[in-house]
Amino acid sequence: MLLARVVDTSNAVAGTSSRKAKTALIADLLREAGPAEVALATIYLGGSVRQRRTGLGWRSLQAAPPAASTPTVTIPELDASLDRIADLSGAGSKAARAAALDELLGRLTADEQQWLARVLTGGVRQGALDAVVLEAVAVASGMPAEAVRRAAMLSGETATVAAAAFLGLEALGEFHLEPGRAVQPMLASSAPDVAAALLRADPSGGPVAVDQKLDGVRIQVHKDGESILVATRTLDDVTSRMPEVVELVRTFPSRRLVLDGEAISLDETGRPRAFQDTASRAASRDGSGLTAYFFDLLLADGDDLLDRPLSERVARMSELVPEANLVPRLVTADPAAAKAFLDDTLHSGHEGVVVKSLDSPYSAGRRGSAWVKVKPVHTLDLVVLAVEEGSGRRRGWLSNIHLGALDPSTGGFVMLGKTFKGMTDEMLRWQTERFNELATRREGHVVHVRPEQVVEIAFDGVQRSTRYPGGVALRFARVLRYRDDKPVSEVDTIERVREFSQTNV
């Protein structure tokens, strides 16, 4: 299959807002792909490439050679070229990579060059996310949509499932939950308070499980005899970084296990350390100082528990995992009791609770009403100090904003970090015009502005930072709205921000 066919479909998908139309366009292309091309076509239509790292960034793609006049490159040929580029390393690799890229781009048409540049820099905005692609795979292959989704859940790879779907139902049925092959984690939706979460998890008003939401690193641990795998929520293998978790799970009285949980760093009193401490330890080579807590059991001694109710999975888990390594849980139908549990959890230094239906199966990779998280939403009114030119899909807009708090001792502002999260396209257009009006100077891709625009920021916590002069930085900062109704003199102070750090929110 020619790459041009994929590019045309990708552009057509981007040009429609109809999910049904997107699905039909992708399904038509997948029907045309050969058996050896379905997986690649699926990856490309999803806006990515098979190679995890190519060494190619936005700068390397700017000076493209003259484009070919007619399309000749097939999708297997593109994949082979990217493989060769990704394999380059060592002395002289930069020049060799540039030469190989020029050779590849010279064989592509202008449309193909532009599409590849967008894919490699995360700029494809066609709305063909995994869910849509999986629907198209089901339509094109004639397989039941639920069978396709379940296979994807168990494999963690949409492209692999797409290839299997065209082989038939039996091939899809080959995907099982097995120790050693990580699956996508079940996700939680959000609710503004505990009462709303209880009602969403169980509309009948029956009892639910209320779990402490630990501010740690999500882990999925697989045990197969002496072999242990520890994977992150993105399915990356971090086994070598968490020896304490490995040794703990080896002591559990079951030869084959799959557990879902959190790894977290605690201080001498048992309170959670700042998230950055946990993240730092999890990223180190030995991962020492991490404690594992588990809240779900997916498989035990060969029994696949994914479709069993949570109540059964939890009961089985309590027989295998020491109580000291279980996430604290309250089973109740009483909103007041659940609220008291949330308050105790927050007082202990954790970030909230997750309310769970006791009847729910483990829906890997899905976010629904069976699990509902509740945690405080912290906000600050800050001032924009600078803004960065966007790249990828945000190229041409002013995007990442630099945030500042008031320093009463100087009357100036202290930078706390940057964010582009929470920005809609409409907001990006508005702020591009606004900050160009406020611009005072440019340094590379950074546009410094007069500190006049107030912005309301939501964040999950405050952490220590040597990067910024105030000694603190916001965690997971995201834009809620711009406050034209508030003068800069009323933005939050650096002392106020530091108070959040001291309470370990």
Side-chain angles (χ1 to χ4, degrees):
M1 172 178 283
L2 287 175
L3 175 63
R5 178 72 176 91
V6 174
V7 172
D8 288 344
T9 298
S10 180
N11 291 336
V13 169
T16 178
S17 59
S18 167
R19 186 184 181 106
K20 185 175 181 180
K22 292 179 190 289
T23 301
L25 287 165
I26 297 171
D28 286 344
L29 182 139
L30 292 177
R31 290 190 190 98
E32 296 175 22
E37 298 174 324
V38 168
L40 270 180
T42 302
I43 293 171
Y44 292 160
L45 287 170
S48 61
V49 296
R50 184 178 58 80
Q51 294 75 14
R52 275 181 168 260
R53 292 178 182 159
T54 61
L56 302 175
W58 186 261
R59 289 187 182 278
S60 62
L61 294 161
Q62 292 307 289
S69 56
T70 57
T72 60
V73 176
T74 65
I75 58 176
E77 288 173 339
L78 172 62
D79 182 62
S81 293
L82 292 177
D83 259 346
R84 287 192 290 272
I85 291 172
D87 287 342
L88 293 171
S89 62
S93 61
K94 184 176 181 179
R97 187 177 295 111
L101 177 61
D102 274 355
E103 190 274 332
L104 170 60
L105 292 176
R107 297 166 57 204
L108 302 181
T109 64
D111 282 349
E112 291 168 338
Q113 286 183 353
Q114 293 170 9
W115 173 86
L116 181 60
R118 293 198 305 272
V119 167
L120 292 175
T121 57
V124 171
R125 301 177 62 200
Q126 61 191 30
L129 301 177
D130 261 3
V132 178
V133 174
L134 287 173
E135 286 180 21
V137 169
V139 171
S141 64
M143 293 293 102
E146 185 54 40
V148 173
R149 284 194 294 267
R150 184 175 180 84
M153 169 188 82
L154 295 172
S155 73
E157 296 181 354
T158 298
T160 302
V161 170
F166 282 87
L167 298 177
L169 200 56
E170 185 175 345
L172 286 176
E174 291 298 315
F175 294 98
H176 300 288
L177 177 61
E178 295 181 2
R181 185 168 66 193
V183 300
Q184 297 170 358
M186 185 170 178
L187 305 174
S189 58
S190 299
D193 53 54
V194 169
L198 263 66
L199 189 59
R200 188 178 301 174
D202 191 335
S204 71
V208 297
V210 185
D211 287 6
Q212 285 191 350
K213 189 176 191 307
L214 309 185
D215 194 13
V217 175
R218 183 86 175 261
I219 56 172
Q220 187 179 119
V221 184
H222 294 236
K223 179 184 181 184
D224 191 1
E226 289 300 305
S227 177
I228 306 290
L229 166 72
V230 184
T232 65
R233 64 180 298 154
T234 54
L235 311 187
D236 293 322
D237 184 346
V238 292
T239 309
S240 63
R241 300 179 190 172
M242 299 193 180
E244 294 177 340
V245 176
V246 171
E247 291 309 311
L248 171 68
V249 174
R250 280 209 173 105
T251 67
F252 295 171
S254 177
R255 284 194 56 78
R256 305 181 81 233
L257 282 173
V258 178
L259 291 154
D260 196 356
E262 297 269 343
I264 189 169
S265 175
L266 304 175
D267 66 17
E268 296 76 10
T269 67
R271 288 180 63 85
R273 298 182 190 275
F275 177 79
Q276 68 190 98
D277 291 324
T278 292
S280 176
R281 292 172 192 242
S284 68
R285 288 200 173 272
D286 62 9
S288 59
L290 292 176
T291 302
Y293 291 93
F294 299 102
F295 51 76
D296 216 324
L297 176 65
L298 283 60
L299 178 142
D301 287 324
D303 292 338
D304 184 335
L305 305 176
L306 288 174
D307 296 324
R308 310 281 180 85
L310 174 65
S311 56
E312 183 178 335
R313 300 198 306 274
V314 168
R316 187 81 174 268
M317 181 173 61
S318 66
E319 299 171 355
L320 302 172
V321 179
E323 185 177 357
N325 297 106
L326 293 174
V327 167
R329 167 178 286 135
L330 171 71
V331 176
T332 184
D334 181 4
K339 176 61 166 59
F341 186 79
L342 168 62
D343 292 341
D344 288 343
T345 297
L346 296 175
H347 183 71
S348 299
H350 299 295
E351 64 174 356
V353 295
V354 182
V355 177
K356 302 178 178 179
S357 166
L358 292 172
D359 297 326
S360 61
Y362 189 95
S363 300
R366 303 288 291 275
R367 188 188 304 276
S369 61
W371 288 13
V372 187
K373 60 186 175 184
V374 181
K375 59 181 182 177
V377 177
H378 308 290
T379 64
L380 290 169
D381 288 322
L382 302 172
V383 65
V384 178
L385 303 176
V387 61
E388 297 177 2
E389 294 175 351
S391 61
R393 81 168 189 84
R394 299 188 178 207
R395 185 172 176 78
W397 284 333
L398 293 180
S399 176
N400 209 8
I401 57 176
H402 295 201
L403 304 169
L406 179 66
D407 184 352
S409 66
T410 65
F413 300 97
V414 181
M415 186 175 174
L416 301 172
K418 314 173 186 180
T419 189
F420 58 83
K421 296 185 183 300
M423 295 177 182
T424 63
D425 286 359
E426 180 179 355
M427 189 178 290
L428 285 166
R429 283 191 289 270
W430 178 88
Q431 72 180 40
T432 297
E433 181 178 353
R434 170 65 169 157
F435 294 133
N436 273 320
E437 293 173 352
L438 297 178
T440 58
R441 71 182 193 279
R442 293 176 182 262
E443 291 181 354
H445 67 289
V446 178
V447 180
H448 295 267
V449 300
R450 297 194 304 273
E452 298 176 7
Q453 181 61 56
V454 178
V455 61
E456 185 177 1
I457 297 293
F459 62 102
D460 287 0
V462 174
Q463 64 188 32
R464 300 185 306 276
S465 173
T466 58
R467 183 175 182 180
Y468 300 115
V472 292
L474 302 182
R475 282 192 55 223
F476 303 121
R478 52 212 181 267
V479 175
L480 290 182
R481 56 176 173 154
Y482 282 103
R483 296 291 302 267
D484 291 330
D485 60 326
K486 194 161 191 174
V488 172
S489 60
E490 294 181 17
V491 300
D492 287 294
T493 65
I494 185 63
E495 286 84 2
R496 171 65 174 150
V497 177
R498 287 172 180 151
E499 287 175 8
F500 283 103
S501 176
Q502 292 163 3
T503 56
N504 193 29
V505 298

